[in-house]
Amino acid sequence: RVGILAMVEALMIYVFAVSANPVIFSNLGEESAVGPANLISAEEEVTVAQEIAFGQARELEELTLKFHNPLYVRWNMGLVIVELVNLTTGETEFSDVLGCSMIEDGKNICVDLKGTEVSGDCRYEIRLSGKKGVARFREREEIYPYFSAAGNESMAVAEVNGVEQDVNLYFQIR
């Protein structure tokens, strides 16, 4: 019985390891900090963009991000829009909307990319923007993506409203 149990466990580990898409890029282990870009700012529309190249054709499974969202439980009724844009063609390859009330402060959140296919010949950009929620709570709404120091030579720095920052978006993509 012990031998059968060990074989079943080994098979499960093998299937999980072989079937999981490999991590394409991750800076989740690096030191991170909350950035200055409130995606649902009352004063202006804010867009955070991080360029990324994949080097070969891939099928994307998941994007992991982290946000500072101090009032997520009760007051934050805004929305975060997550997009993957093909900079070569100008087409939005993936788009999803996350309710801010579901994004825990300081915790990683995974966005299912649903097998989005990307080409190795194109440049892409992860774009984050936001929409304000219910008028009654707008003064309290805020959500800030995390960033890491721009130490990756192969990656462009992040942009906030088209202005280059000396940081990278804090994320993992597989």
Side-chain angles (χ1 to χ4, degrees):
R1 289 185 193 201
V2 175
I4 293 173
L5 182 58
M7 287 176 35
V8 169
E9 285 182 25
L11 180 62
M12 289 174 62
I13 291 171
Y14 173 77
V15 167
F16 177 75
V18 169
S19 65
N21 281 347
V23 172
I24 298 166
F25 176 82
S26 178
N27 59 8
L28 294 188
E30 297 176 13
E31 190 173 322
S32 65
V34 175
N38 180 4
L39 295 176
I40 49 178
S41 170
E43 292 81 39
E44 64 178 333
E45 289 190 23
V46 175
T47 300
V48 171
Q50 176 68 61
E51 189 174 325
I52 185 170
F54 295 102
Q56 65 185 47
R58 297 183 184 264
E59 190 173 302
L60 305 179
E61 181 179 301
E62 176 180 272
L63 173 66
T64 304
L65 299 161
K66 186 176 176 181
F67 294 93
H68 175 58
N69 187 13
L71 300 173
Y72 82 95
V73 175
R74 185 169 179 138
W75 303 111
N76 200 340
M77 301 299 161
L79 302 171
V80 171
I81 300 157
V82 178
E83 297 175 304
L84 181 66
V85 178
N86 183 325
L87 295 176
T88 306
T89 65
E91 292 185 31
T92 300
E93 303 290 340
F94 174 85
S95 183
D96 199 3
V97 177
L98 310 174
C100 291
S101 63
M102 304 304 288
I103 300 173
E104 266 190 84
D105 182 39
K107 304 278 185 181
N108 291 345
I109 183 165
C110 296
V111 179
D112 183 1
L113 295 175
K114 301 175 179 145
T116 299
E117 294 180 6
V118 294
S119 167
D121 300 331
C122 297
R123 293 177 14 252
Y124 293 86
E125 189 172 75
I126 298 167
R127 284 188 193 159
L128 306 177
S129 57
K131 287 194 185 250
K132 297 168 190 68
V134 180
R136 179 176 171 198
F137 301 119
R138 283 190 184 152
E139 294 301 316
R140 297 179 179 164
E141 291 178 332
E142 56 183 331
I143 189 161
Y144 302 84
Y146 274 70
F147 294 89
S148 68
N152 188 326
E153 299 290 324
S154 66
M155 182 174 290
V157 294
E159 295 180 359
V160 175
N161 287 346
V163 177
E164 288 187 353
Q165 308 295 305
D166 193 26
V167 292
N168 291 121
L169 184 63
Y170 190 68
F171 74 101
Q172 174 178 285
I173 195 162
R174 62 167 70 235

